[in-house]
Amino acid sequence: MTTLLPSLLVLVAILGLYVAARVARLGRPAREFLDAGQGLPGWAIMVLMPGLVLAGYGLDRHFVLVADYGLQAAHVGVGLVFVAFAALALWNRMWLAARVAGLATPGEALGRYYQSVALRVVMMGLTLLFALPVAADLLGSAGRQIEGATGGVLPRMAAIWLLAFGLAIPAIIGGWRASVLVLAMQAALIGVLLAAATVLAVILSGGGGFPSLPIGNAEGILWDRIPGVIQNSAGIGKAVPAGGIFTTTGIASTVVALVGIVLSPAALYLGQTVRAGSAFGTGSVWLTAGIGAALMVLAVPVLLSLMPDGMLVAATGLFGRAPVAAGGLLLIPLLGNILAASFFVTGGVILLSREFLHRYLLPGLSPSGQRLSVRIGLGFGFFFVALSASFAPFPSAVLASAALPLAVQMLPAILGLAFLRWISRGAVLAGLVLGMLIVVFTEPPGLILFEGLFLDVPWGRWPLTIHSAVWGLVFNLLLVALASAATARDPARFERARLHDAMLRQGGTSPGAHGLLWALALLWGFFAYGPGAILGNTFFSHPIFSRVEAALGIPSLWVWQILFWLMGVVLVWWLAYRVGLGHTRDIGTRPIRLGADEVLRTPDWLSSGLARVIARRSRRRKPGAGPVDGHEARREPRRIRIP
Amino acid sequence: MDDGSATERLDRHALVMAIWLPLGFVATALLHVGLTGGGAWWIGAGFAAIIAAFTCHVIANAMLGTSFTYGETALGAVAYAAAVLAVLATLLFASEPVAGRILLPVALGLAALLAAVILYLVIAFGARGAFERFDVIRDNNLRAASRLPHRGGRR
């Protein structure tokens, strides 16, 4: 294993380098380094969408949870259908906004639509959160896995730096297009390996394991059922919920938190930079809700039941009989971490460069200068990620824990841009502040900080077994609704309505008109992973309308999961192909101008600070020259007017 | 400077690699188990993975309106020829038990692969068209004008 796993990783790195070099040799305009000319191939998004959701949630973490909590943790897999639903609806509209109004990045889209610099700053903060602590946490996990698999021959820190180097080079050479192509290949590899490893494990074990045997789980955990609708628990770290943490509200709120991956800035940017076609439909219906959810619902419980001592022990045992397969087994969680880390860093650096560097610091930079700046930024980005993963794994993990729920708090803002024109800027900002505060104080960053500085709070993480994403989102949405009602006469609504009208003209579809779909979606959600899922515990083994006991041979909850997964695929198919959100087509008109003309200028505090540094340098260079006052030397900020 | 077609070619190339990378990996793992003592079923499963990858490649071609490139055809032919040579070498040099154990399933797998390629050619080009793609003897007139349809050109 010591030689095999690093060799496989080297092969993956060489593949990335090859694709990046081929992309670079195309000689496309420098501007396309940042966004692939908004022409990413559809197949890449189709394959990357489920891979990104699985990897962003954390395959290794999910494996541990399923191994400990059994089917109640695996029930989150059904939620992939809901994530596909959200991705389809929101990415389609963000794509359309990018074409209709020339809103090239998520930050620009929200900033210009709501005329708010604060929202741009929030998006930049989220981008940084995903690009640094989240990526560092993922890379640190990958380093630990490699150290374990090689028996310490390749230490964690060395593995982290080698991985960071291997990921940085293709991104620096090939930019956004090469990164997405390489990551799509890795996503395909993860999916096929997961399916193949499950089949192989079942055959080699002689058909043992789940469902004929229970999934190896911790003591006191109900492995084959959901432990209630909700539990009066103070939260993780304060109390232990009886039977497990995945109550129906726990599952539903975790599923909502998963939507944070779709709402992360880099993921939204991915959706904006794909070329027109049916990528969203195929990717969400067949690959995410279909194959991705199938792997989570069907394959993961079976695979983990055959590995009671963990994946590493199982792979080591398999190595004697099938070494290549053992390497493939270890590659699954490892590639998941690598994929997500690479995606968040590359997308994050590109977005931060476009949103901050090219907009405020160096607004007049030429396209080739922008490309160079992103290349340098990518180098620094991967360097700092490796640095954080190596020397600050704990702070990275603590900060990373809040990333998904914080991203979910952007949902009202994005819903406003995508569908609900009555949501106003003030409402979004007020809801965002409240939601984010609640998230921070129900997740480790706020809890650790507050309890370290002041006093113990009576709640822990996930109070009442509800994920922090939903705690924040409920209050966020409530405040948004109230504040939007109060600001219904806001004059800015006319400007917002222009975008919606233009999108309706181009998109030609109004999802709000499909009442039956939304009613069925709510009903499905209630029974699939909401409170109604509690019926699945015994529905097929002890039917409620009969005294007959059915001997299925498999847990009733598993049948429930499979049934509602299949129903969910039909719902996503409806949204994609009947409502029409699964297909995008190029618009033939010029983009509309949204809001007032923007003046790109460096902020005064920034330009004056730069001027002071420059003045000090020139003073050192020219000792004969008179003293230069920083204020006197301050140049007029460079202004560029863009339509 | 690329006019866009090179980008589309590269996107297709990446898609083809995304198909062959995972399925090729699985095929390698299965064939390794089969050839090192696993038995005929593992070898058969390995060839099934290769045929699955080939089928996905054909589907990708159909979706994108493309065909196999010269490079892909050459790579496939060389790999196939190498596999046939390896089988012959095994027949000549390997011990009898080893040769007896792996020869039949590998030969059947290679035959199935060939059958899959022929089936694809027949479906894609028809029986006559598939044959004409290899019929270089009749194209013995090297003048460009001989390829014009009214002079009997068939390309």
Side-chain angles (χ1 to χ4, degrees), chain A residues 97-261:
Chain A
R99 302 312 190 272
V100 165
L103 307 172
T105 63
E108 186 182 4
L110 291 177
R112 290 195 70 173
Y113 174 75
Y114 289 105
Q115 297 295 304
S116 168
V117 177
L119 276 173
R120 283 178 186 263
V121 173
V122 171
M123 283 304 268
M124 275 193 263
L126 269 180
T127 310
L128 195 65
L129 191 65
F130 275 95
L132 205 54
V134 173
D137 188 38
L138 291 162
L139 207 60
S141 296
R144 272 195 302 277
Q145 285 162 9
I146 292 175
E147 186 182 46
T150 58
V153 172
L154 196 59
R156 186 184 72 91
M157 217 171 282
I160 287 170
W161 285 94
L162 284 173
L163 282 177
F165 185 73
L167 297 177
I169 297 298
I172 290 170
I173 293 174
W176 186 234
R177 178 185 292 277
S179 295
V180 171
L181 291 180
V182 172
L183 296 179
M185 286 181 209
Q186 291 178 4
L189 188 57
I190 292 171
V192 172
L193 283 182
L194 191 53
T198 308
V199 175
L200 201 72
V202 170
I203 293 170
L204 287 176
S205 71
F210 179 81
S212 51
L213 288 174
I215 302 173
N217 56 292
E219 201 172 327
I221 300 295
L222 300 170
W223 72 274
D224 62 346
R225 56 186 62 205
I226 298 170
V229 174
I230 192 166
Q231 288 202 23
N232 185 17
S233 161
I236 300 168
K238 301 285 177 184
V240 181
I245 52 173
F246 288 98
T247 60
T248 57
T249 41
I251 292 166
S253 53
T254 306
V255 169
V256 172
L258 268 178
V259 176
I261 299 166

Side-chain angles (χ1 to χ4, degrees), chain A residues 63 98 166 181 200 208 211 354 374 393 408 456 556 583 594 617 620:
Chain A
F63 289 165
L181 291 180
L200 201 72
R354 292 188 75 163
V374 171
V408 171
D456 277 6
S556 165
H583 190 77
L594 204 61
R617 274 191 187 164
R620 277 189 201 144

Side-chain angles (χ1 to χ4, degrees), chain A residues 18 26-28 177 200 275, chain B residues 1-2 11 13 15 33 42:
Chain A
Y18 167 72
L26 284 175
R28 301 292 299 173
R177 178 185 292 277
L200 201 72
R275 73 170 68 126
Chain B
M1 180 70 76
D2 166 38
D11 290 344
H13 182 52
L15 171 59
V33 176
W42 292 98

Side-chain angles (χ1 to χ4, degrees), chain A residues 8 15 18-19 22-23 26-29 41 43 177 181 185 188-189 192-193 196 200 203-204 275 322-325 328, chain B residues 1-4 6-8 10-19 21-23 25-26 28-30 32-33 36 42:
Chain A
L8 290 174
L15 179 77
Y18 167 72
V19 174
R22 289 287 304 267
V23 170
L26 284 175
R28 301 292 299 173
W43 72 264
R177 178 185 292 277
L181 291 180
M185 286 181 209
L189 188 57
V192 172
L193 283 182
L200 201 72
I203 293 170
L204 287 176
R275 73 170 68 126
V324 183
Chain B
M1 180 70 76
D2 166 38
D3 58 355
T7 308
E8 286 183 4
L10 180 60
D11 290 344
R12 180 194 165 279
H13 182 52
L15 171 59
V16 169
M17 284 201 294
I19 290 168
L21 175 73
L23 289 170
F25 188 93
V26 171
T28 308
L30 292 170
H32 185 265
V33 176
T36 53
W42 292 98

